Amino acid sequence: MRIEEKYRDLSKGQKRVAEYVLDNYDKAVFLTAARLGEVVGVSESTVVRFATQLGYKGYPEFQKALEELVRNRLNSIQRMKVTYGRISQSQILETVLQSDIEKIKQTLNGIDHSAFNQAIDTILNARKIYVLGIRSCAPLAAFMSFYLNLLCDNVIAVNTNSSSEIFEQLIRIGEEDVIIGISFPRYSQRTLKALEFASKRKAKIITLTDSVHSPINIYSSCNLIARSDMASIVDSLVAPLSVVNALIVALCMKKQEEVIGTLETLEQIWGEYQVYSGDELNRIEDNSEV
């Protein structure tokens, strides 16, 4: 860690900042330079010089590096304490929505467009498409699987109730297939092991995660990075969902004629079997008149 390596070269005030960060990283990560200086008892400029002394261009870059470091270390209790400590009851709606907006902006600014295009081509050329997301990532995987199934006839949504079931469903995965692994802090060990298994079978691997340092990227040559909110008991996965939406739309554009044909067939089925509420309401009204 840079702080430990550079500690001897720091000034007295900078050492106080370093000691606070090392002892309270879960709190320091959310503090501005001015606020950190106030807590430690030094000036804001001392905090900024501390960051540059460590080799960062400024305090924002240091704070980003600290966020990456602690992202997977906070447990649910720590997340709750941090959240309650920085949001008042009257500001919850505005703070949470604004945070989600910022995460989408950060994702848009940082995402690798070549990796995004590579993911599209890989999915289109795959024999089978496996989609895997565990725990809080399961809804993302289910959402992606639902729409991929409308576009392709080779989609397998991996059931994740147990580790053994995961491997049983991946038993036939091979080099002509692709698996899309979705994992955000706290990273799932089962997802990691499943991708390791797929890698050994030489399958192509696409990952959707929060950082280039995410452990699941070890097995992937196509990494889609979407920012998530780590400082809450509820994982905010709004930005990752936006990336999933973009993938689905891009695939639709590539397969326009097939998608139109599928949707026309589905519309007939939905109407015939009264899938949506309009038909159900009409049926209720007809029954009431009788």
Side-chain angles (χ1 to χ4, degrees):
M1 191 173 181
R2 291 196 195 186
I3 294 178
E4 295 169 341
E5 294 173 359
K6 302 279 188 178
Y7 185 82
R8 294 178 63 182
D9 300 327
L10 300 177
S11 68
K12 186 177 179 180
Q14 291 170 357
K15 285 181 178 178
R16 290 168 63 183
V17 177
E19 290 164 3
Y20 180 85
V21 171
L22 289 172
D23 293 338
N24 303 276
Y25 62 85
D26 56 326
K27 297 177 183 176
V29 68
F30 303 109
L31 301 178
T32 63
R35 179 57 183 156
L36 179 55
E38 183 181 331
V39 170
V40 177
V42 298
S43 65
E44 180 179 355
S45 58
T46 298
V47 176
V48 174
R49 285 195 296 271
F50 161 76
T52 56
Q53 184 70 21
L54 294 181
Y56 298 103
K57 294 179 181 179
Y59 184 78
E61 185 175 316
F62 162 75
Q63 193 173 35
K64 184 177 180 180
L66 183 60
E67 182 178 331
E68 295 288 350
L69 177 67
V70 306
R71 184 175 296 275
N72 197 36
R73 294 188 181 182
L74 297 183
N75 60 35
S76 298
I77 296 172
Q78 288 172 318
R79 290 184 181 196
M80 184 183 295
K81 287 181 177 178
V82 170
T83 301
Y84 289 172
R86 67 172 183 161
I87 306 177
S88 68
Q89 188 71 31
S90 62
Q91 297 175 322
I92 290 175
L93 180 61
E94 292 79 3
T95 301
V96 172
L97 266 62
Q98 189 60 45
S99 176
D100 284 341
I101 291 170
E102 289 302 317
K103 292 297 179 295
I104 292 176
K105 288 181 179 178
Q106 292 168 8
T107 298
L108 178 60
N109 291 333
I111 198 164
D112 185 342
H113 286 75
S114 62
F116 181 83
N117 292 328
Q118 181 186 345
I120 295 167
D121 291 338
T122 302
I123 293 170
L124 287 173
N125 295 321
R127 179 184 63 179
K128 290 184 180 179
I129 305 164
Y130 295 83
V131 184
L132 173 64
I134 292 175
R135 299 177 67 80
S136 63
C137 294
L140 287 177
F143 183 89
M144 175 178 272
S145 299
F146 175 83
Y147 282 101
L148 281 178
N149 194 53
L150 297 181
L151 308 177
C152 312
D153 58 4
N154 53 350
V155 179
I156 299 173
V158 180
N159 188 303
T160 59
N161 288 334
S162 70
S163 295
S164 61
E165 283 189 29
I166 292 174
F167 294 119
E168 288 161 7
Q169 291 168 84
L170 296 178
I171 191 65
R172 292 183 179 85
I173 195 170
E175 57 186 341
E176 296 179 26
D177 305 319
V178 62
I179 182 170
I180 304 170
I182 306 172
S183 187
F184 288 82
R186 303 159 69 187
Y187 306 108
S188 166
Q189 191 68 15
R190 283 190 290 161
T191 301
L192 184 64
K193 290 181 178 179
L195 295 185
E196 179 184 5
F197 177 83
S199 177
K200 288 181 178 179
R201 297 299 180 97
K202 298 183 179 180
K204 296 174 181 63
I205 299 173
I206 298 170
T207 55
L208 176 57
T209 188
D210 68 309
S211 167
V212 293
H213 304 295
S214 170
I216 68 170
N217 288 339
I218 296 172
Y219 303 108
S220 171
S221 59
C222 184
N223 309 324
L224 301 176
I225 307 300
R227 300 302 299 270
S228 64
D229 190 353
M230 53 174 262
S232 171
I233 189 173
V234 178
D235 295 322
S236 175
L237 300 176
V238 172
L241 181 59
S242 290
V243 174
V244 171
N245 282 341
L247 277 173
I248 299 300
V249 171
L251 290 167
C252 283
M253 297 295 289
K254 291 278 189 177
K255 305 182 69 171
Q256 286 188 54
E257 292 185 9
E258 292 176 55
V259 172
I260 290 172
T262 300
L263 291 178
E264 286 176 345
T265 302
L266 283 173
E267 287 292 348
Q268 293 174 1
I269 295 170
W270 292 336
E272 182 179 350
Y273 290 94
Q274 301 176 337
V275 171
Y276 287 110
S277 59
D279 297 313
E280 292 169 358
L281 286 174
N282 289 338
R283 186 175 182 182
I284 292 171
E285 290 170 359
D286 292 342
N287 290 339
S288 64
E289 289 175 4
V290 173

